């Protein structure tokens, strides 16, 4: 090694002592790190600002959407039913034969319920809803579906005219009672009866409603028409005949026989025997040319409401209902029989009786006999009772 070369060599970091050179390098590194950290902080701050701005924009948009959509949401999610029993009374008419859906629409239109679905849902949970009767009701506005249903099932809410029609009444008597209950003139019922097809009378009735006005207790709405009332009663008769399996071709004959059973029979338990006497006489077992010889038919033809007839009335051949003068059944029913009489006409009791007489009008006790002599004895028993009690 040459000494001059040693003296001329410049070592790294020349001009600083070794310790100072390390310090300077460390400071530079720290400075670089501080610069990097500052840049990072600036970038982080910028990102935070951007994020805050974005969040503010999103929040603003969300608030705007909420403000716009909230009313719609409230409307869509609002209950379809009112709460409670309602307030202002309102009159509502339920049409005859109206379905649950139809009733629901009627109630919603009158603002009795908030929506049709509110009533339909309530009705679907209660089997009694199928028993809602047609007519005019006093309900209340803004009722819950269940409250409206309960009120429709409450008899006191319905504006009704109740009429009780007992078995055996004649058409004229039925009309008089209907007119009295409804407050409508008899003439309106007479006009309705003049349109038998509109009332649903079958062809076998030959345009006459006698015998087809089923005896029962009826609740007719205050706004029901005479035609509606009569149609309801005729429909009831049809239902009973269908229930008893009476063929359409035999319905008028059955009702005619039943009406005589109803008029002549004193006790329902004897109706089958009365029907048997009628059948036996129609079969000419009496040997009189199949003449029934029933006073009830003669009285009907005269327009009298009596159990007695005169000899002249029984001899009147002009009376088409005179079964003393004319063989077979009369022209048609002589009254409106009940179900028991109809059943008896269909299924007479077994027996060979040819006569009968009610010996006690209070109890309906009836005596049946096979011979004229026996019948005459029972007839005298009745006359004695009548003389004592009338």
């Amino acid at each position: 090694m040459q000494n001059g070369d040693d003296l001329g060599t410049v070592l790294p970091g020349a001009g600083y002592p070794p310790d100072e050179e390390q310090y300077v390098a460390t400071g530079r590194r720290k400075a670089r790190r501080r610069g990097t950290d500052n840049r990072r902080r600036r970038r982080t701050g910028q990102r935070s600002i951007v994020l805050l701005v974005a969040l503010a924009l999103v929040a603003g948009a969300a608030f705007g959407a909420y403000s716009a959509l909230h009313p719609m949401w409230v409307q869509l999610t609002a209950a379809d039913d009112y709460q409670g029993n309602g307030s202002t009374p309102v009159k509502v008419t339920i049409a005859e034969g109206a379905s649950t859906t139809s009733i629901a629409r009627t109630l919603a239109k009158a603002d009795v319920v908030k929506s049709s679905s509110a009533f339909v849902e309530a009705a679907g949970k209660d089997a009694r809803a199928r028993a809602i009767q047609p007519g005019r009701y006093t309900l209340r506005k803004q009722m819950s579906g269940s409250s409206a249903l309960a009120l429709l099932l409450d008899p006191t809410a319905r504006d009704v005219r109740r009429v009780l029609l007992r078995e055996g009444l004649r058409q004229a008597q039925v009309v008089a009672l209907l007119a009295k209950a409804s407050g409508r003139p008899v003439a309106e019922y007479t006009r309705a009866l003049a349109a038998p097809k509109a009332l649903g009378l079958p062809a076998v009735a030959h345009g006459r409603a006698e015998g087809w006005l089923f005896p029962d207790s009826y609740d007719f709405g205050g706004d029901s028409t005479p035609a509606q009332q009569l149609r309801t009663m005729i429909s009831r008769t049809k239902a009973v005949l269908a229930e008893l399996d009476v063929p359409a071709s035999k319905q008028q004959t059955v009702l005619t026989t039943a009406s005589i059973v109803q008029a002549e029979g004193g006790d329902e338990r004897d109706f089958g025997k009365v029907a048997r006497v009628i059948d036996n006489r129609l079969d000419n077992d009496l040997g009189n040319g199949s003449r029934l010889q029933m006073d009830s038919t003669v009285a009907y033809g005269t327009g009298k409401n009596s159990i007695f007839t005169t000899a002249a009335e029984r001899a009147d051949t002009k009376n088409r209902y005179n079964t003393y003068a004319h063989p077979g059944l009369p022209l048609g029913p002589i009254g409106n029989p009940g179900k028991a009489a109809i059943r008896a006409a269909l299924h007479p009791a077994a027996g060979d009786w040819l006569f009968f007489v009610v010996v006690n009008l209070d109890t309906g006790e009836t005596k049946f006999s096979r011979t004229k002599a026996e019948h005459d004895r029972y007839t005298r028993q009745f006359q004695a009772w009548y003389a004592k009690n009338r």
Side-chain angles (χ1 to χ4, degrees):
M1 178 180 295
Q2 293 180 359
N3 195 26
D5 293 336
D6 292 335
L7 291 175
T9 302
V10 179
L11 298 174
Y16 297 96
D19 291 339
E20 291 182 10
E21 182 180 328
Q22 183 177 3
Y23 174 79
V24 170
T26 301
R28 289 172 179 170
R29 286 193 296 272
K30 289 182 177 180
R32 285 195 297 270
R33 283 197 298 270
R34 282 195 299 272
T36 300
D37 291 343
N38 288 336
R39 288 192 297 272
R40 287 175 178 170
R41 281 194 293 270
R42 284 196 298 271
R43 286 196 296 268
T44 301
Q46 292 171 349
R47 284 196 296 268
S48 298
I49 292 172
V50 172
L51 180 60
L52 288 173
V53 172
L55 289 173
L57 291 173
V58 170
F63 179 77
Y66 173 81
S67 299
L69 297 176
H70 180 66
M72 297 174 60
W73 173 257
V74 170
Q75 184 177 2
L76 289 172
T77 58
D80 287 334
D81 201 0
Y82 290 127
Q83 299 298 313
N85 296 321
S87 54
T88 309
V90 60
K91 296 287 187 181
V92 176
T93 299
I94 303 301
E96 184 177 358
S99 64
T100 298
T101 303
S102 177
I103 294 173
R105 285 196 295 264
T106 298
L107 297 180
K109 184 177 181 180
D111 196 30
V112 172
V113 295
K114 190 173 185 180
S115 66
S116 297
S117 60
F119 181 79
V120 171
E121 181 178 353
K125 297 176 182 178
D126 194 331
R128 296 178 302 164
R130 293 192 292 270
I132 294 175
Q133 299 296 308
R136 192 164 179 81
Y137 291 81
T138 300
L139 305 177
R140 291 184 290 274
K141 285 184 174 291
Q142 300 187 354
M143 305 179 74
S144 68
S146 57
S147 294
L149 174 62
L151 201 51
L152 284 171
L153 294 171
D154 184 350
T156 62
R158 186 166 174 244
D159 181 15
V160 298
R161 303 290 187 270
R162 175 163 291 184
V163 57
L164 176 62
L165 304 174
R166 63 176 176 80
E167 294 87 347
L169 290 177
R170 297 176 182 176
Q171 177 179 297
Q173 295 171 309
V174 170
V175 166
L177 289 172
L178 291 174
K180 181 180 179 180
S182 67
R184 295 176 179 270
V186 170
E188 291 189 16
Y189 291 89
T190 302
R191 283 195 295 271
L193 288 166
K197 287 185 178 180
L199 299 179
L201 273 174
V204 294
H206 304 296
R208 300 179 65 254
E210 190 76 90
W212 291 85
L213 304 176
F214 195 80
D216 206 343
S217 177
Y218 293 93
D219 289 333
F220 293 118
D223 58 348
S224 63
T225 66
Q228 289 173 332
Q229 295 172 18
L230 294 167
R231 187 162 52 244
T232 297
M233 301 171 68
I234 292 170
S235 295
R236 183 82 174 90
T237 296
K238 288 180 175 180
V240 170
L241 293 173
E243 179 186 341
L244 297 176
D245 296 322
V246 183
S249 60
K250 295 183 178 180
Q251 290 177 352
Q252 186 75 348
T253 298
V254 169
L255 288 175
T256 300
T257 302
S259 69
I260 299 173
V261 171
Q262 190 77 65
E264 293 279 353
D267 189 325
E268 188 175 299
R269 292 172 295 183
D270 292 326
F271 280 3
K273 290 183 177 181
V274 174
R276 174 51 62 190
V277 171
I278 293 173
D279 274 9
N280 288 344
R281 289 191 178 190
L282 289 175
D283 289 340
N284 200 29
D285 289 358
L286 194 59
N288 67 351
S290 298
R291 293 193 298 273
L292 291 180
Q293 296 182 331
M294 299 284 179
D295 288 304
S296 59
T297 65
V298 177
Y300 181 85
T302 64
K304 292 169 50 177
N305 283 309
S306 175
I307 60 173
F308 301 109
T309 59
T310 66
E313 289 170 342
R314 292 191 293 273
D316 184 7
T317 59
K318 294 180 181 179
N319 181 351
R320 296 296 304 278
Y321 290 86
N322 183 356
T323 53
Y324 281 87
H326 302 289
L329 289 170
L331 199 59
I334 62 172
N336 295 279
K339 188 174 182 178
I342 296 173
R343 185 184 289 110
L346 284 169
H347 308 290
D352 57 358
W353 311 283
L354 293 172
F355 305 91
F356 65 89
V357 60
V358 178
V359 297
N360 187 318
L361 296 180
D362 289 338
T363 64
E365 181 185 0
T366 304
K367 297 291 187 178
F368 293 84
S369 54
R370 297 171 178 82
T371 66
K372 181 69 165 58
E374 190 178 16
H375 174 65
D376 289 343
R377 185 169 69 251
Y378 290 141
T379 299
R380 288 191 293 271
Q381 181 180 336
F382 163 70
Q383 291 170 340
W385 178 92
Y386 190 83
K388 182 179 179 180
N389 294 277
R390 288 293 184 274

